Amino acid sequence: MLNIYPKNQPFHVLSRAVDEKRIFEDKSDCYRFIFQLYAANIGKPAFNLQRKDMIKVAQAILQGEKIPPKFIIEEHPPLVDFLDFALVITHFHFYLVPNFENCIPTFIKKLNIGFAKYFNLKNNRKGALFGARYQSIPVKTDFQSSAVSRYISVINPLDIYQPGWRKKGLKNWKKAFNFLEDYQFSSFPDRIGKRKSKILAPEETLKRFCLETDSRGEGKNRYKQFVRDFLKQKALFQKFFLE
């Protein structure tokens, strides 16, 4: 087998729903995906779980709480380490590092098939939910790393807050920042230190691959300031155009 996905090589991964289907519009679906993501990375969901239980477990995962073993069957160490993630209505973005050679296809297949089974059953539909092939790009430089991280955890969630902002600019940068802080289905709350979810990689891995991470919190403060400056710039951009 060709070593397409070498161990310890970060990748930006994107997978879209077929026909731009709005699969992450309902919070319960987002929580289910978070649960599936966590379970697929270390094994599989336990049998006969109730939907409400999965939502509670997903909320616990995002808040960094201990997960009772009865909910997940652990089969192996984490296939990947997450540096950033975001669910954005019709698709998802991951910035991740494989812990084993060529394990990304295995992980994405487990995740997409597991979530598709749930989504199709809930909505009485059949067929594939995600496109036949996900996209993946290796991240090889510090510049790429910072750009990908911000693209995933800042730029994409803003499409939910204010659709069309990329062309028209932001209406209110402070409200945009507050939205990013409170949006649970991305890594932004983790990256600024407001949350410490169980999805993101261990601290030593984050320090290795993410420039904004350090134990004293200085990197998180720099990251916050960068985002504020970015949002201000995009809000100023809006003033130059008439509706």
Side-chain angles (χ1 to χ4, degrees):
M1 176 184 288
L2 293 176
N3 190 12
I4 301 174
Y5 298 102
K7 179 181 177 181
N8 294 327
Q9 167 63 64
F11 282 87
H12 175 197
V13 176
L14 163 65
S15 186
R16 293 186 180 277
V18 294
D19 302 323
E20 292 295 305
K21 194 164 189 64
R22 300 174 72 86
I23 58 175
F24 297 130
E25 205 164 31
D26 188 310
K27 279 189 176 182
S28 65
D29 294 336
C30 293
Y31 282 124
R32 178 58 179 257
F33 186 85
I34 292 295
F35 174 81
Q36 293 283 163
L37 181 158
Y38 185 80
N41 200 25
I42 60 175
K44 61 186 178 184
F47 301 105
N48 300 319
L49 295 179
Q50 300 297 318
R51 184 179 301 176
K52 63 181 181 179
D53 291 332
M54 291 191 181
I55 291 176
K56 289 180 180 179
V57 174
Q59 291 170 335
I61 289 169
L62 289 172
Q63 294 304 318
E65 299 171 4
K66 187 176 180 180
I67 309 303
K70 66 178 181 179
F71 291 107
I72 297 172
I73 300 173
E74 190 169 346
E75 298 177 323
H76 46 70
L79 297 175
V80 301
D81 280 336
F82 285 91
L83 307 177
D84 273 291
F85 70 92
L87 311 188
V88 195
I89 306 297
T90 62
H91 59 285
F92 63 76
H93 287 273
F94 296 154
Y95 180 25
L96 51 75
V97 184
N99 290 321
F100 307 92
E101 291 185 357
N102 297 319
C103 69
I104 292 179
T106 301
F107 169 67
I108 297 297
K109 182 178 180 180
K110 288 175 64 180
L111 173 59
N112 285 2
I113 289 177
F115 183 73
K117 286 181 179 179
Y118 150 80
F119 192 89
N120 285 353
L121 183 62
K122 176 187 175 184
N123 296 283
N124 194 28
R125 72 180 295 274
K126 296 181 180 180
L129 182 61
F130 293 94
R133 179 66 179 173
Y134 61 89
Q135 297 172 266
S136 61
I137 299 175
V139 179
K140 297 183 177 181
T141 68
D142 288 344
F143 176 81
Q144 285 179 302
S145 177
S146 294
V148 167
S149 174
R150 291 159 187 165
Y151 179 72
I152 291 175
S153 63
V154 177
I155 293 175
N156 270 273
L158 287 176
D159 291 338
I160 303 171
Y161 165 70
Q162 184 188 319
W165 74 272
R166 299 194 198 197
K167 291 184 178 180
K168 296 182 179 181
L170 292 170
K171 295 179 180 179
N172 187 309
W173 76 266
K174 291 183 179 179
K175 289 183 178 180
F177 187 88
N178 290 340
F179 172 84
L180 292 174
E181 275 192 309
D182 295 335
Y183 183 61
Q184 293 297 299
F185 308 113
S186 89
S187 50
F188 187 80
D190 302 301
R191 302 291 262 117
I192 64 171
K194 185 176 181 179
R195 185 183 72 187
K196 195 171 183 179
S197 76
K198 298 181 75 66
I199 293 177
L200 286 203
E203 192 73 15
E204 58 270 21
T205 303
L206 293 174
K207 289 178 184 178
R208 178 180 176 186
F209 293 103
C210 302
L211 297 179
E212 298 87 358
T213 303
D214 63 52
S215 59
R216 296 170 296 176
E218 293 177 4
K220 291 181 173 63
N221 290 332
R222 287 195 300 270
Y223 186 68
K224 285 182 184 179
Q225 191 56 51
F226 165 82
V227 173
R228 290 191 180 102
D229 291 343
F230 172 81
L231 298 179
K232 289 176 183 178
Q233 181 185 22
K234 295 304 178 182
L236 181 64
F237 169 80
Q238 192 257 353
K239 295 179 181 179
F240 289 98
F241 296 88
L242 297 175
E243 292 292 335

